[in-house]
Structures are given as structure tokens and as C-alpha cells.
Amino acid sequence: MLMTTKNNYVLIMAGGVGSRFWPVSRSSFPKQFIDVLGTGKTLIQTTYERFTRIVSPDHIFIITNEAHVGLVHEQISELPKENIIGEPMMRNTAACIAYASNKINCINPEANLVVAPADHLILDVDKFVHDIKEALYHASNDWLITLGIRPSRPDTGYGYIQYVEKDTALKKVKIFTEKPNLELAKTFVQSGDFLWNAGIFIWSVKSILNAFEQYQAEMYELFNEGCDHYQGPKAAAFIANAYTRCASISIDYAIMEKADNVYVLPTDFGWSDLGTWASIYELGTKDEQKNVTHPTHRIVMRNSTNCIVNVPLNKLVVLSGLNDYIVVESNDTLLICPREDEQSVKEIVSEVKEKYGTDYI
């Protein structure tokens, strides 16, 4: 496949707080900046390195909370400082994509753009690189392309994409479905034409800005004020004003579920969004009792099965009679929660914030 790369760019979204990974992930130091898998590299460092196999570092942009710009520069020091984009407040993925797309459009109006989260796991990097290049090859068709993962199980934690079957690599998207219940998820997997929504997008900057103009006109107007507003002393005030006035909405709701030029590339490169402690459990090395613990930590498991335990190195922990539990201690906080309630961790964080303020968040 012959393809020029001079117009290809990558946008890594690193603005989340990873609340479902609490208490290890905190708002001041979210999971994308943590080595949650014990590989010696943080999630954002691993994501950045993957994309250097596709574009040069000067074509990689990272958008994150203004408070975390320093963290990005510290962990990826070779990235040009001007390629780290700070958001004044959290406004979900549509706003950050609108902001960054306009900024990149000012640099190169012919840009093709890969948009991906900073905190996903990709096991088969060669396959990932191949599929991203395949999608970039089609980006000039005025298509909004997403990657869909062939489901290995009826998972209720992921959104799903149904596609129209045809004899081409990229399939026309029929419908997006948010996280289903278990019975519906089983139906999706059995049907054979549903994929997990990986939240990785490929398109030309022209195509996504046209989509914003058509489906999110108000947000489009807020950010499309001309390139003079994206540099110089007035840039910060312009962006702060835009974020204050724009809606908080995901790119899926804002654009992808509305547009009629959406295509999906079905793939399987060993993907996980690492969204919960249970996802770490699924990936972890299990002992004879199906427990996942750190091999060098002092942990005694008595009559306990199917647990994930993440505790400080200097602490002796003894667990007896626990089955299917998450046990996590970090930042002066201890969480003990049934694995089946993993989706409630976000609600727990909200309750802690309401009772004790932000000191533990």
C-alpha cells in the first residue's frame, strides 16, 4: 500500500480522570500517567511510542487538562511543547476534538487525523499499525472511520457497532449501541455483525470539521473563529470562552451516531480499554486460586479465589475467605468491593467526594 505520510497526524486524548481506577488513579494524577500494568512505562508513554511507528513525533499532538500539561512534558520530554494542548476544563471528547482539529487545520488543512485515547492496551502492535495505516489510506474519501473490535465475549462494559456486511475491508456503519445488558450483549455477539466500539477514529480534518458544522453547528461556531485565535496572547482567553459556552458531549453522541458517512474497520489486535479493575484482573497472571496479585508484594491469600489485590509494597496483607473481590489500597485509601460491582466504583468516588470533599479524589 503506497501512501504519503506528510499529511498524517495523531491526536492522543489524555484528559480523563480514570475514576473507575480509584483510588490509584486520582484527579491530580490520572491512570494514563500511571504504570498500571507494571511494564515500566505509563499508559500514555506506551500509546505515544505506538504512534511513533505511524507518524513522526512532530505530527503527534496530545490534548489534556491544563493541570496535566507538565505531566505530559515530564513523561514524554521529546514531544515538542507546542504539541501539548491544554484544556481549560473538562467538556468530554467532542469539544477536545473540535478544539484540536481546528488547531491542526491551521497547521495543515490537508491533514488526516488519527484520534485515540491515551490509556488503552494494544497487545499486537504490528496489527494495530497495519490497521491504522489501512484506515488512513481511506481517510481522503470523506469518511468518518472508526475501529471496531471483534467481540470475544458478551461484555456489558463496551459500546457496540453494527455494520452492513459487504466484501470490502471497511464496512458501512448501521447503528451505534451504548453499553447493553447481558442478554442483549449475547444477541449482539451471536449475530456476527456487531463489534466493540474501541473509540479510535480516523478521518481527514476537513471531514470532521464539516461534520461539526452539519451536526454541532453551535460548537463549530465557537471553535471556528479563524487561525488568529489559536496563537498569540489572546489564544487562552478565546479557548476558555469557547469551553465555557460549549456543551459537554461525547464525539459518539455529537457526530458519529448522526452522520451518514461513518465506516468501521473490523479488527482484532488484542485491545482493552483498561476501563476497570476487572479488566486488569482479566489481563493479569493468576495463581492456582485464580487470584491476581503482584508477585513481589507480601500478600497471603487464605481460602480466597478470583480476587485482584493491588496494595503497597511495604504492607503485609492477609485475606481470608474472600471470593471475587477487588482489594486496592493507595493514597491513604482502601477500597474493598465485589468484582461484580466494578461499574459502581465511579459512584463510590462521587459519594466520597460528597462526604469528604476532594482530598481523597
Side-chain angles (χ1 to χ4, degrees), residues 8-217:
N8 293 340
Y9 293 77
V10 169
L11 174 66
I12 299 173
M13 298 183 292
V17 296
S19 58
R20 287 180 295 174
F21 262 102
W22 183 84
V24 171
S25 179
R26 296 292 184 93
S27 57
S28 60
F29 209 95
K31 71 167 181 171
Q32 58 266 31
F33 301 107
I34 300 171
D35 177 15
V36 299
L37 296 173
T39 64
K41 294 178 182 177
T42 67
L43 295 177
I44 194 171
Q45 287 173 329
T46 304
T47 301
Y48 170 79
E49 288 183 5
R50 269 199 304 272
F51 281 116
T52 58
R53 295 181 54 177
I54 298 171
V55 300
S56 60
D58 63 312
H59 279 210
I60 297 176
F61 288 77
I62 296 178
I63 186 163
T64 189
N65 190 290
E66 281 181 350
H68 301 145
V69 167
L71 269 176
V72 174
H73 181 62
E74 179 182 322
Q75 294 199 359
I76 310 176
S77 57
E78 63 270 33
L79 187 70
K81 284 187 176 181
E82 59 269 23
N83 287 28
I84 305 173
I85 306 171
E87 292 184 282
M89 61 191 70
M90 293 181 66
R91 280 293 185 267
N92 215 315
T93 52
C96 86
I97 290 171
Y99 174 16
S101 296
N102 274 283
K103 193 175 180 73
I104 293 169
N105 185 58
C106 293
I107 298 168
N108 183 355
E110 302 302 316
N112 298 316
L113 185 61
V114 182
V115 181
D119 51 4
H120 286 186
L121 172 70
I122 307 293
L123 294 177
D124 190 343
V125 177
D126 288 340
K127 182 71 166 70
F128 174 80
V129 170
H130 173 273
D131 289 343
I132 291 292
K133 289 181 177 179
E134 169 82 15
L136 281 167
Y137 181 76
H138 296 281
S140 60
N141 289 335
D142 191 30
W143 292 349
L144 305 178
I145 302 168
T146 185
L147 299 187
I149 309 299
R150 295 185 181 91
S152 58
R153 60 188 182 277
D155 200 303
T156 60
Y158 297 143
Y160 286 73
I161 302 169
Q162 186 181 24
Y163 61 88
V164 178
E165 186 64 65
K166 60 179 182 177
D167 296 327
T168 55
L170 271 70
K171 317 290 188 182
K172 187 83 162 55
V173 169
K174 186 175 181 180
I175 192 171
F176 286 83
T177 302
E178 288 304 302
K179 298 172 183 177
N181 59 39
L182 183 58
E183 289 305 312
L184 193 55
K186 288 179 179 178
T187 302
F188 288 170
V189 174
Q190 290 168 0
S191 73
D193 59 354
F194 279 84
L195 305 164
W196 286 337
N197 185 357
I200 300 170
F201 309 102
I202 303 94
W203 44 51
S204 69
V205 167
K206 285 180 182 177
S207 295
I208 191 60
L209 291 180
N210 286 340
F212 271 104
E213 184 176 21
Q214 184 173 355
Y215 301 108
Q216 295 293 325

